[in-house]
Amino acid sequence: DGSGLRRLTRGKYDDFDGRYLPSGEIVFLSTRRGQAIQCGKVAAGAASDSAEPDCYVRCGGGPERPVAVYTLHVMDDRGGNLRQISPFEMFEWTPSVDEQGRILYARWDYVDRHAVHYQQLWSARPDGSDVRAFYGNNTLNPVGVWEARPIPGSNRVMATAAAHHAMTAGSIILLDVTQGIDGLEPITRLTPDALFPESEARVERWYNATGVTTPPEVPVEQKRWPGHC
């Protein structure tokens, strides 16, 4: 009802996309990892006091083009015991919690991968262990899968099939990884009128969590598919 509002995190960092874990703790994304620190409770604690710098992505980041990296962190429901649970050096997005208590999230995995088609779904336990590809690690269509939302009482998840370097919008899909963890076989298209951006079409409209979105009109020479850099 809006009562009981309290601030949980402090400092110069961006903390966002919080979700409650079964333990009552909160998993969230943060830029507070620190530029030279890969992971660890001590580093996260120092970052909470603004003692560490932001972490910048190696691909185009830096003083001339700062792009802060955000990765998975966990804290208790009062903002204490804050720690990073992911040592990943690139971006992670849109965490959610599935029926088994695992964290589902998208991440930008460039390891031995194409430069575009690998913003797909991963999973991890709430302590950051057992990190593994959930869906799409070797899938070129769709280009990216984001915003996983587990379906209660089911192993299936809803998600958004979208472009890279773009808003998380495209076609809404249903994933059943018991049918496989790559390719189109595990996918049911819930919005078949919206083809997958980049890999199937240069779309003029797409879906996201709020409904149909139409991009603003741009000059013809700039009109590319969503996600074009």
Side-chain angles (χ1 to χ4, degrees):
D1 61 1
S3 63
L5 180 67
R6 63 187 188 278
R7 184 173 182 175
L8 297 178
T9 62
R10 290 171 172 78
K12 66 180 182 178
Y13 305 97
D14 290 328
D15 303 315
F16 57 100
D17 262 3
R19 297 288 186 274
Y20 280 107
L21 293 169
S23 65
E25 291 189 305
I26 299 169
V27 61
F28 64 103
L29 297 176
S30 178
T31 61
R32 63 180 61 241
R33 184 180 66 189
Q35 187 170 357
I37 306 299
Q38 285 295 319
C39 63
K41 185 175 180 179
V42 174
S48 67
D49 295 326
S50 300
E52 294 287 346
D54 277 322
C55 182
Y56 290 96
V57 63
R58 64 184 180 185
C59 175
E64 75 286 353
R65 187 187 174 196
V67 183
V69 173
Y70 32 88
T71 54
L72 294 172
H73 289 64
V74 168
M75 62 184 169
D76 64 34
D77 62 359
R78 294 185 176 273
N81 195 25
L82 191 156
R83 69 245 186 227
Q84 181 192 352
I85 62 169
S86 172
F88 194 53
E89 65 179 8
M90 295 290 281
F91 299 105
E92 295 172 330
W93 294 278
T94 59
S96 61
V97 182
D98 74 1
E99 290 290 287
Q100 301 178 40
R102 296 176 301 180
I103 301 168
L104 300 183
Y105 61 100
R107 84 177 197 182
W108 195 330
D109 193 344
Y110 265 163
V111 179
D112 295 327
R113 296 290 183 263
H114 189 281
V116 173
H117 296 84
Y118 292 99
Q119 291 85 44
Q120 306 286 13
L121 292 181
W122 289 69
S123 69
R125 297 187 186 279
D127 63 358
S129 65
D130 196 25
V131 176
R132 63 179 67 192
F134 181 79
Y135 170 78
N137 197 41
N138 289 289
T139 295
L140 300 180
N141 181 40
V143 171
V145 179
W146 320 70
E147 300 178 324
R149 292 294 182 269
I151 297 174
S154 168
N155 290 322
R156 297 177 297 171
V157 299
M158 290 182 63
T160 304
H164 87 299
H165 281 188
M167 68 180 74
T168 52
S171 185
I172 306 302
I173 61 174
L174 187 66
L175 273 176
D176 182 356
V177 295
T178 66
Q179 304 301 311
I181 61 171
D182 274 297
L184 294 175
E185 185 66 24
I187 290 178
T188 299
R189 303 184 189 227
L190 301 182
T191 55
D193 55 309
L195 298 178
F196 296 159
E198 291 187 302
S199 55
E200 292 184 346
R202 300 184 180 187
V203 297
E204 294 299 326
R205 72 173 193 166
W206 51 80
Y207 291 89
N208 59 20
T210 59
V212 180
T213 303
T214 302
E217 190 65 27
V218 296
V220 172
E221 65 272 13
Q222 296 180 22
K223 189 170 287 188
R224 308 278 180 86
W225 56 89
H228 183 81
C229 298

